[in-house]
Amino acid sequence: MPSSSTRRIRLAAATSTAALLCGLFTALPAQAAAPRTGSDHTPDRVAGAHTDVPSFVRGLKDRAAKSASGRKETPALAAEEHLAQHEDVFHTKDLDLSKPKASTVDGRTTVSFTQRHKGIPVLGAEYKVHTKGTEVESASGSLFTDLKVSATPKLTSRQARNRLFTDESLRKLSPKGRTIEAHDLVVLPRGEGVLTYHFTVKGTQRSGEPVSQQVYVDAHTGGIAFSYNDVAGIAAAGTRAAASAQAPAEGEDPAVTEGPVTAKGTNYDGATVDLNAYQRADGKVELRDRTQTMFQKTGGEILTYDAQGGDVQDYQGVLPEDTPLASADSTEFPAAATDSGAVDAHTNAAKVYAFYKKQFKRDGIDGKGGTMRSVVNVTSNGVAYPNAFWDGTKMVYGNINGAPASVGLDVVGHEMTHGITEHTAGLLYVSQSGALNEAISDYFGEAMEVDDEGLAMNDPMAGLIGEDLCGHDEDPATCALRDLSDGRRADDDYLNIPLASDNGGVHSNSTIIGGAMWDMRKSLSKKFADNVIYTAALENFTPWTDFLQARYGIVDAARRLGATSTQLQQINNAFDAHGIVPGWEDVEAPRDSVTLAKDIAPGAEGMDMSHNIAVDGDRWATSYVDLKSFFDGTPEYGIKTGLLSRPEKGATDLSTPGVWMIDPALKGNKLYYSRVGVNGADVVSRPAGGGKNARETVVAGGPGDQREVDIDGNTVTWVDIQGDEADVWVKQGARPAVNITPEPGTSAVRPQIAGGKVSFIDYGGTSTTMLNVYDLASGKLTATKAGDLLSSATDYVANGEYGFAVITNPFLLGFQNVKGYDLSDPANTAKQKSVKLRSIMGSGVQLGVNDTQLVRTDLMASVFGTGNANQPKLEVANVEDVMTGNGGTWQRVSCAVTGQMYPGMDDGSQRVVWADTRGTTDIVTRETPAGTCS
């Protein structure tokens, strides 16, 4: 692994491969450096990450050399020849780049290139050269010079598809209506690259929350290399889903229409508003706006549909043909159109169109005058759907706090701006690029609302996102979804959040970069600030743009728009004030724990559904991803193990080239884990101490993926994953292994064995997740609910006497709580306990348990905090007190200014082993809790 002097790593808690990939793709500085501030530290050249191609260049002004090619001088030719003439800077000679594609706005031309490797697209690889006429002014983006991965897969697409459901997030989807779409091969960039099969899996969680999971399966090993949800909601993690073609709007035949009319309606605030509508020949009046400029040019309309209480899962990426336009019997729309949100959705969509048309000459969301569609009045499982989202082709609105989600112009503008970002920068909706995506939507949604309401930029209400959705007795300042004036800083407040929670912090971190942009709007003229942000998104940003690259892109866009030195100073001041400065990610901190292993990238950060830290007696073990192999493009997972009593000896590395080793479990000096290869995954064991005779013994094999091994005494349990089916198997000593869930439809995760019981979570139910407890002596299986229609169990730990499930509500930013179960009587609700968290609504909750202690960590307690408080902190309490006493007296495990994650514990002690993150990620331990931290 690279030393910290070679590469600082700052990895966070994560439960899917995407969290690791995105953190490394977008979040790491090129080299260690102290944060710097200043009036203008935008350099002329910024190094790219793990590539010879710089991410930003300016100051190399020259014109296309006609004599070099004999072709007509054009911006595209200027860009091509500029890259070639400065090969010492750009290093693109040997790259497979697309033909240049030029677009011009107000005399500024952006020439774009995308990259392929051996004919295969490279994910997010795009470069933009900015010209004025044929003079090159700057260039920015991400291209990758070290790609060498073989373009020949070792798996077929069908074999890769069969491995999809080792991605636990897919097994949380309801089988009803789930679809799988196979795409072409894609190379994930870094080092030599990762050849993958790309799939889109669409469906809904059992709560009804729509999901469009983008899954990339390693074509050489069959492991899940990258996976993230791609549906964007105002109050939930996710972004745009690629949607199928829309059904033709009802009544488009001009022979049965009479023409545009001005109708009347009442918005949710009680004001009478004019509605651009359309009256049919039968007298019916529909919310169909054909008065906008785009209709005359392209036939584009603004259409508002009423789902009439239809389930949101039927509106993800498609528009059912029988969905009617919101309509009335006359030009006076009734109260039902107000209550459904149709009046506000139609009015606000027209305002969004007008804003972009007037300010930027942009003709609609796609920029080509395409029809803008909204659907209101959707539900989920028969109850209100508390969200709104852009699905790639249309807006879908539910009801939040009793109000239609379309009430707020900032919400409507936010979601429709996601569509514009999709058609321009294409920012990937993960980690920093995803937070920038959210910030752009927040910025323009709020800019529209502030201007529409005539608010001053220093008004306390200016900057609040979603305050119109607050209840009547709630304070907008405290109940708004976000505040662009919250003052958060990247170098103090950035939250490294697992991708499974808010797609790596796309909402939680958005106000850091969004706040910097909003401060620009306060210090500059509003129109100029808006033009700068829009121009940067249109012409500078590419899919992997991170916070610092966004700063450079915005400054560059401002220069090209003619910013004065004073304006450039104000822009740089705004970014300085939010800590978005070189070196902000590279922060060290002291620790009060014993270091067992340094510079570890925990396997759980890269491999979904992976156990991370195991402890038994004096030995510990953790799965990890080898960073050198990762940066070479051939990620491999190994296991490190060591002795608690001999920390000075460091860790022993156990790894095998060409296979992944994950899910460690310990019994004395015997190590168990899953060995993942091209043909599946086996559970194997070996002596943990290594040595020449440390041979692997297959404990469980077969055609599926054997995962999540756990052991107690001479009894081993694991999950066998074959497609949708994920069964729990048990092997006791020399007896044959037994499938304890032979009935079809099981989708088990997290099997835990202790005290003669095997307990686990089952996603296989049609309505809710279940906690199952299997008694080894009697063979009896007891099941009880772990969640409800709006929530489900997403993690689980147990000590044989008690089990603890993390319950997640996907509608509310993934907020979580923890429920404890008495495993002797798990279905007895009187014995079920709610476990205290550091905040009322938890997020990113992780648990560890032994026979006497329960340890927890929670991100949400500090989402709106600063400094030390904004990192996840481990706390421990007596497990018996938690379940039968007063809820437990919780003590801090460590007082360090660090992120503390993935706790592991052994029976009979208070010792905790965990991954400690700040600048680097190390495996550390404390024998006793630190107690109260000031």
Side-chain angles (χ1 to χ4, degrees):
M1 294 179 64
S3 68
S4 59
S5 62
T6 303
R7 187 70 176 170
R8 292 287 179 196
I9 58 174
R10 186 184 184 202
L11 300 181
T15 54
S16 81
T17 305
L20 175 64
L21 290 176
C22 296
L24 295 175
F25 281 165
T26 66
L28 299 180
Q31 61 184 18
R36 293 189 290 112
T37 61
S39 61
D40 180 8
H41 50 252
T42 303
D44 287 335
R45 192 181 308 175
V46 179
H50 306 286
T51 178
D52 294 331
V53 180
S55 66
F56 175 78
V57 177
R58 65 172 179 170
L60 296 176
K61 294 186 177 181
D62 54 27
R63 304 179 71 83
K66 296 181 182 179
S67 60
S69 64
R71 292 181 288 169
K72 180 181 178 181
E73 188 176 86
T74 64
L77 178 60
E80 280 188 306
E81 297 199 350
H82 181 82
L83 296 180
Q85 290 165 4
H86 299 285
E87 173 64 15
D88 60 321
V89 174
F90 294 103
H91 305 283
T92 59
K93 180 180 65 173
D94 297 326
L95 300 185
D96 180 6
L97 300 183
S98 65
K99 291 183 178 180
K101 182 178 180 181
S103 61
T104 302
V105 178
D106 295 335
R108 302 181 315 277
T109 299
T110 300
V111 182
S112 300
F113 301 85
T114 58
Q115 183 181 2
R116 300 175 75 88
H117 171 67
K118 298 180 180 179
I120 299 170
V122 179
L123 182 66
E126 183 176 4
Y127 213 62
K128 294 183 176 182
V129 179
H130 314 292
T131 76
K132 187 173 183 179
T134 56
E135 184 177 81
V136 173
E137 295 186 308
S138 59
S140 57
S142 299
L143 297 175
F144 304 92
T145 53
D146 297 329
L147 301 179
K148 298 177 183 176
V149 66
S150 169
T152 303
K154 295 182 180 179
L155 286 80
T156 65
S157 178
R158 180 177 292 275
Q159 288 174 318
R161 180 182 174 123
N162 289 340
R163 302 290 288 276
L164 275 175
F165 289 90
T166 58
D167 182 347
E168 179 187 335
S169 61
L170 301 184
R171 292 195 280 125
K172 297 176 183 177
L173 302 181
S174 171
K176 178 185 176 183
R178 189 184 63 206
T179 63
I180 301 174
E181 180 181 3
H183 306 289
D184 295 332
L185 287 166
V186 174
V187 172
L188 301 185
R190 276 305 177 264
E192 294 184 357
V194 184
L195 183 68
T196 66
Y197 287 104
H198 177 202
F199 298 90
T200 298
V201 183
K202 291 184 179 180
T204 57
Q205 297 181 12
R206 285 168 173 79
S207 59
E209 183 72 1
V211 170
S212 179
Q213 199 78 11
Q214 306 302 324
V215 187
Y216 297 81
V217 180
D218 190 324
H220 290 154
T221 67
I224 304 298
F226 189 28
S227 176
Y228 67 97
N229 184 15
D230 194 23
V231 174
I234 184 70
T239 191
R240 310 134 344 259
S244 58
Q246 295 293 312
E250 182 181 321
E252 285 190 355
D253 185 351
V256 297
T257 62
E258 290 292 338
V261 295
T262 300
K264 298 287 186 181
T266 303
N267 67 20
Y268 200 74
D269 289 335
T272 300
V273 294
D274 290 336
L275 298 168
N276 293 323
Y278 207 81
Q279 188 168 44
R280 302 193 320 220
D282 61 2
K284 204 78 168 176
V285 179
E286 300 173 326
L287 291 186
R288 175 192 294 273
D289 184 354
R290 290 184 171 179
T291 66
Q292 307 297 340
T293 306
M294 61 179 173
F295 181 72
Q296 304 303 322
K297 295 181 177 179
T298 66
E301 306 174 75
I302 296 176
L303 304 176
T304 302
Y305 296 84
D306 187 349
Q308 299 179 332
D311 199 286
V312 65
Q313 69 179 342
D314 297 327
Y315 290 88
Q316 183 199 347
V318 295
L319 182 65
E321 293 184 5
D322 59 352
T323 307
L325 286 165
S327 62
D329 294 330
S330 70
T331 57
E332 298 290 332
F333 273 73
T338 302
D339 295 339
S340 69
V343 170
D344 283 292
H346 199 67
T347 303
N348 286 332
K351 289 180 179 179
V352 173
Y353 177 83
F355 176 87
Y356 280 105
K357 183 67 174 176
K358 178 180 179 181
Q359 184 84 338
F360 312 119
K361 302 177 184 177
R362 185 177 185 86
D363 202 12
I365 290 175
D366 63 0
K368 301 176 181 179
T371 292
M372 296 167 59
R373 295 177 172 86
S374 302
V375 178
V376 300
N377 204 12
V378 298
T379 62
S380 175
N381 290 322
V383 297
Y385 172 65
N387 213 332
F389 63 89
W390 164 259
D391 77 350
T393 58
K394 66 181 182 301
M395 283 301 309
V396 180
Y397 298 100
N399 187 291
I400 301 176
N401 286 331
S406 57
V407 166
L409 177 56
D410 57 349
V411 172
V412 175
H414 173 108
E415 295 300 344
M416 288 187 168
T417 299
H418 274 308
I420 292 174
T421 299
E422 177 183 333
H423 287 285
T424 55
L427 289 162
L428 291 169
Y429 203 66
V430 287
S431 299
Q432 288 187 45
S433 59
L436 176 60
N437 191 325
E438 274 296 310
I440 292 169
S441 283
D442 276 353
Y443 176 93
F444 282 115
E446 187 61 13
M448 294 175 205
E449 184 166 274
V450 164
D451 292 355
D452 184 67
E453 296 179 357
L455 293 177
M457 286 297 295
N458 61 358
D459 190 296
M461 297 292 287
L464 298 181
I465 307 297
E467 78 284 355
D468 293 318
L469 302 175
C470 295
H472 293 298
D473 57 348
E474 293 183 281
D475 177 12
T478 57
C479 75
L481 298 173
R482 287 179 294 283
D483 182 2
L484 289 171
S485 299
D486 62 12
R488 294 176 66 211
R489 295 178 57 92
D491 50 1
D492 285 336
D493 306 319
Y494 184 84
L495 294 174
N496 273 321
I497 294 177
L499 198 77
S501 177
D502 193 29
N503 269 28
V506 297
H507 293 90
S508 302
N509 292 316
S510 65
T511 59
I512 296 172
I513 183 76
M517 296 190 297
W518 197 244
D519 283 355
M520 286 171 51
R521 204 174 199 259
K522 292 177 180 178
S523 60
L524 304 170
S525 75
K526 293 189 292 186
K527 183 175 182 179
F528 185 67
D530 294 349
N531 282 336
V532 169
I533 302 301
Y534 178 78
T535 299
L538 181 68
E539 301 175 15
N540 286 76
F541 297 168
T542 58
W544 289 117
T545 296
D546 62 21
F547 285 5
L548 195 56
Q549 290 169 335
R551 173 182 181 148
Y552 297 148
I554 287 170
V555 171
D556 186 55
R559 282 197 182 94
R560 288 185 286 111
L561 289 170
T564 65
S565 59
T566 298
Q567 289 172 322
L568 291 174
Q569 175 80 54
Q570 290 168 323
I571 293 171
N572 280 296
N573 288 346
F575 283 96
D576 285 350
H578 287 269
I580 302 173
V581 297
W584 72 263
E585 296 163 287
D586 200 44
V587 181
E588 294 285 2
R591 294 187 169 108
D592 58 1
S593 52
V594 175
T595 300
L596 300 172
K598 293 186 67 64
D599 292 350
I600 297 290
E605 302 212 11
M607 172 60 67
D608 188 17
M609 202 175 61
S610 174
H611 293 180
N612 191 61
I613 295 177
V615 187
D616 189 61
D618 190 34
R619 183 165 290 280
W620 64 271
T622 185
S623 59
Y624 74 95
V625 57
D626 177 74
L627 289 184
K628 184 180 185 302
S629 69
F630 174 82
F631 288 127
D632 286 343
T634 54
E636 294 182 353
Y637 296 83
I639 291 174
K640 289 187 182 292
T641 183
L643 298 175
L644 296 170
S645 62
R646 300 291 302 277
E648 72 280 359
K649 291 187 65 176
T652 300
D653 178 40
L654 305 176
S655 60
T656 302
V659 300
W660 294 0
M661 299 165 65
I662 58 173
D663 300 345
L666 283 167
K667 183 60 182 176
N669 195 44
K670 199 168 188 179
L671 174 68
Y672 294 76
Y673 52 91
S674 291
R675 183 182 62 191
V676 182
V678 65
N679 295 317
D682 297 336
V683 170
V684 299
S685 67
R686 67 184 292 172
K692 294 182 180 180
N693 297 319
R695 298 172 181 259
E696 291 179 331
T697 300
V698 175
V699 177
D705 275 58
Q706 322 299 317
R707 298 285 298 276
E708 296 201 281
V709 62
D710 197 26
I711 183 169
D712 184 41
N714 66 350
T715 303
V716 184
T717 185
W718 66 91
V719 175
D720 176 15
I721 305 169
Q722 298 189 48
D724 276 340
E725 196 77 12
D727 290 324
V728 178
W729 286 71
V730 174
K731 180 174 174 57
Q732 299 184 70
R735 302 180 194 174
V738 176
N739 180 1
I740 65 172
T741 57
E743 66 284 353
T746 301
S747 184
V749 296
R750 309 291 192 271
Q752 308 279 288
I753 183 169
K757 297 181 177 67
V758 178
S759 54
F760 55 92
I761 297 297
D762 181 14
Y763 293 139
T766 57
S767 60
T768 187
T769 50
M770 304 295 288
L771 168 64
N772 292 269
V773 182
Y774 181 84
D775 187 282
L776 290 170
S778 67
K780 180 182 178 182
L781 183 69
T782 303
T784 187
K785 287 184 177 181
D788 52 36
L789 288 177
L790 297 179
S791 60
S792 59
T794 53
D795 204 357
Y796 178 71
V797 297
N799 66 1
E801 185 175 5
Y802 301 112
F804 299 91
V806 178
I807 311 295
T808 303
N809 186 322
F811 290 130
L812 298 175
L813 276 174
F815 287 154
Q816 296 175 321
N817 60 74
V818 174
K819 181 174 285 189
Y821 299 85
D822 185 328
L823 297 185
S824 66
D825 192 8
N828 187 338
T829 57
K831 294 184 177 181
Q832 297 173 5
K833 297 287 184 174
S834 292
V835 178
K836 293 179 182 177
L837 295 175
R838 293 179 65 211
S839 65
I840 297 174
M841 293 182 174
S843 181
V845 175
Q846 298 174 354
L847 303 173
V849 69
N850 66 7
D851 56 342
T852 62
Q853 306 294 310
L854 177 67
V855 62
R856 70 185 185 193
T857 188
D858 176 18
L859 289 171
M860 185 50 64
S862 52
V863 164
F864 303 108
T866 59
N868 179 35
N870 81 341
Q871 298 294 331
K873 303 299 178 188
L874 291 173
E875 295 181 317
V876 66
N878 182 279
V879 69
E880 193 72 26
D881 290 344
V882 170
M883 289 298 297
T884 64
N886 61 359
T889 300
W890 293 90
Q891 301 180 75
R892 282 277 296 277
V893 172
S894 165
C895 293
V897 187
T898 52
Q900 302 156 13
M901 297 158 289
Y902 309 124
M905 303 184 77
D906 182 33
D907 283 344
S909 76
Q910 289 185 301
R911 179 183 291 278
V912 182
V913 180
W914 74 91
D916 208 58
T917 295
R918 185 73 179 269
T920 60
T921 300
D922 300 340
I923 305 301
V924 302
T925 185
R926 278 187 64 98
E927 187 173 0
T928 58
T932 301
C933 301
S934 58

